[in-house]
Each structure stands twice: as C-alpha cells, then as structure tokens.
Amino acid sequence: AVVSTQSTGVLVGILMILHAGFGSAQHRAHLRVSEQPYEGLPVDILTQCVLGFVIACIGITKVAGDFKDISATNDMNRKTMDSITNVPAFYHFAHRGRAIHSVIY
C-alpha cells in the first residue's frame, strides 16, 4: 500500500514530538544523576519539538482536505426561511400543558 506524503508528514511530526519527549526525560534523568541544577531544555530538544509540531500541523491540514468558506452566505442562500428557523432540537413534548389539559377537560 502506498502511503501519502501528507500521512507520512503527520507520522514523522508525531514521532519527532515523541522523540523530543523521551529526550527531555533522559536529559532530566541525567541532571538528577549528575546532581546538576535544571536550567531548561537544550536547544536541540526544543528545536526538534517545535519542528515536529510544525511538520505534524502541515501534514494534518493537507490530510484534512480543502477548507470551506468561513462565511455562511453560500449555504444560507440555498435555504428557505422555514428551514432556517425550524430547529428540531427545541421540540419538547413533555411539558405542563398535558397536565393542565387533563384538569380543564
């Protein structure tokens, strides 16, 4: 099976982030053993983490496909006013009207 370049980018980016995480844990363990104070992560680990994040983000945006327009006017032009105001999630049939109706009639 042929794997696309975008999927490979996502995989490489995630692996780079994981490798940077393991590198930072190993760095902290080395500092504890050598009894040195922690003064932050080395530049190579930070660079690897940021680069992996950027590669993963670019790969994810390429895998997701084309973006839709942010304006809703294209979709709204095709709908009627009745379909816009009709929201089935607001239908509620279990209410006090049933109890009041049985008392009155």
Side-chain angles (χ1 to χ4, degrees), residues 28-99:
R28 291 293 298 256
H30 171 70
L31 290 178
R32 285 189 189 119
V33 168
S34 63
E35 296 179 352
Q36 295 177 357
Y38 178 73
E39 297 175 359
L41 290 174
V43 176
D44 60 338
I45 293 176
L46 291 174
T47 305
Q48 183 179 10
C49 187
V50 170
L51 191 63
F53 178 73
V54 168
I55 291 172
C57 284
I58 291 172
I60 287 171
T61 56
K62 296 293 184 182
V63 168
D66 295 334
F67 291 112
K68 292 181 106 181
D69 288 337
I70 203 166
S71 63
T73 56
N74 294 338
D75 293 334
M76 297 303 271
N77 287 338
R78 289 181 251 143
K79 294 184 178 182
T80 64
M81 191 62 180
D82 293 332
S83 66
I84 292 172
T85 58
N86 185 18
V87 182
F90 290 139
Y91 293 170
H92 187 65
F93 297 108
H95 51 76
R96 295 183 293 228
R98 187 177 305 153

